[in-house]
Every structure is written in structure tokens, then in C-alpha cells.
Amino acid sequence: MRCPFCAHEDTQVKDSRPSDDGMAIRRRRVCTACNARFTTFERTQLRELMVIKKDGERRPFDREKLVRSLDIALRKRPVSPEQADMLVNTIVRQLEESGDSEVQTSHIGQLVMDALAGIDPVAYVRFASVYRDFGEAKDFERFIGQLGKKQ
């Protein structure tokens, strides 16, 4: 594994342990050239997922993009990092187990919406505002009005 600090290609694993409910392995590494320490995660990938964007463009699924989106929605909310990690793992597992090698961004967005609805209503509205492309305050009003009718 290449060192992220000096780009040297020889690093040593100092510690390995299970992470993410046993779905990943966390490895502490040290660079043999600059002695920098860093962490890597090894995850099982059932299949290579391609995401089909709204404009038809295809891109490889990026777990980190999902993590960033959820981090923004959950910022300053009473949801622990462990809960957020489990949420990401659940969504990724659902995508991988679906049997499809290509998935629409709208499907990913709906999975996130469904998951957030059960965890935190504010994060749900935050994510919806980006996912559904709210342009003005009335969009929020309509969405929250529909939310109230569902409950």
C-alpha cells in the first residue's frame, strides 16, 4: 500500500481488527520510509456497482460520496457516528444484494430518504431539500405539509 504522505510503496501493517459489524477490517499501517502512521479499511465488495446519473452518465459507486451526503444531513443532530456508519453499511448492503450491477441515483436517494425518515426528521428534511432540489421556501412548506399528513 502506498503511503499517503510520501508516496513510498512499502508500508507495514501494525494492527488489524474487525470494524463495521465485522463487514470491514481496520488496519493501522506505518510507512517504512517516513514512519508516518495511517489507517486503511478493507471491505468486501459483492459486485462492482455502477451509478446511472440523471443525465444518463455512468460512474462507479462511491461509498465516500454517500458518507459525505449523510454527514451533511446529520450534522449537529443527535445521531452517533456509529449509527451513521451502520446506516451507510445498510444502504450499501441493500444495493449490493439487489442483484443489479447498475443503480439509478434516484434509487439510492430513496433508500437514504427511507433510512433517514426512521432516524431523524430534521436530517430527513435536510437530505430531501438537496435530493428533491428545493428552490424556494414554498418547496419546504409543501414537503413538510406532506410529512405531517403521513404521520
Side-chain angles (χ1 to χ4, degrees):
M1 166 124 329
R2 185 178 304 239
C3 174
F5 302 102
C6 73
H8 186 67
E9 292 195 22
D10 189 24
T11 61
Q12 293 179 339
V13 174
K14 291 296 181 183
D15 178 47
S16 292
R17 61 181 143 174
S19 178
D20 295 337
D21 294 336
M23 297 303 293
I25 296 175
R26 178 184 183 270
R27 298 191 194 280
R28 287 293 295 158
R29 296 179 178 267
V30 64
C31 175
T32 56
C34 70
N35 289 322
R37 292 181 179 268
F38 59 99
T39 302
T40 59
F41 290 89
E42 181 180 316
R43 300 183 197 289
T44 303
Q45 184 173 340
L46 297 177
R47 67 184 72 239
E48 184 70 29
L49 287 174
M50 293 299 286
V51 176
I52 304 171
K53 301 180 74 86
K54 288 179 187 175
D55 64 3
E57 180 184 354
R58 286 174 164 70
R59 289 195 179 173
F61 175 75
D62 183 359
R63 178 189 174 88
E64 291 307 310
K65 187 172 182 180
L66 177 60
V67 169
R68 286 190 305 272
S69 296
L70 285 168
D71 281 347
I72 291 167
L74 294 169
R75 189 170 291 144
K76 295 185 181 182
R77 298 302 305 151
V79 177
S80 71
E82 291 79 22
Q83 283 177 297
D85 256 2
M86 287 182 64
L87 182 67
V88 170
N89 290 339
T90 301
I91 292 168
V92 171
R93 208 169 304 133
Q94 287 175 327
L95 291 169
E96 289 179 337
E97 291 175 352
S98 72
D100 297 328
S101 58
E102 293 185 339
V103 62
Q104 300 280 337
T105 55
S106 59
H107 180 62
I108 297 170
Q110 194 56 55
L111 288 175
V112 173
M113 294 276 292
D114 293 345
L116 286 175
I119 291 180
D120 187 84
V122 172
Y124 176 70
V125 173
R126 283 180 180 168
F127 186 84
S129 71
V130 175
Y131 171 61
R132 298 218 173 136
D133 198 23
F134 292 177
E136 51 188 58
K138 289 183 181 186
D139 295 335
F140 281 96
E141 289 174 20
R142 277 192 294 274
F143 183 76
I144 291 173
Q146 291 171 350
L147 240 174
K149 291 177 187 174
K150 289 181 182 178
Q151 294 174 351

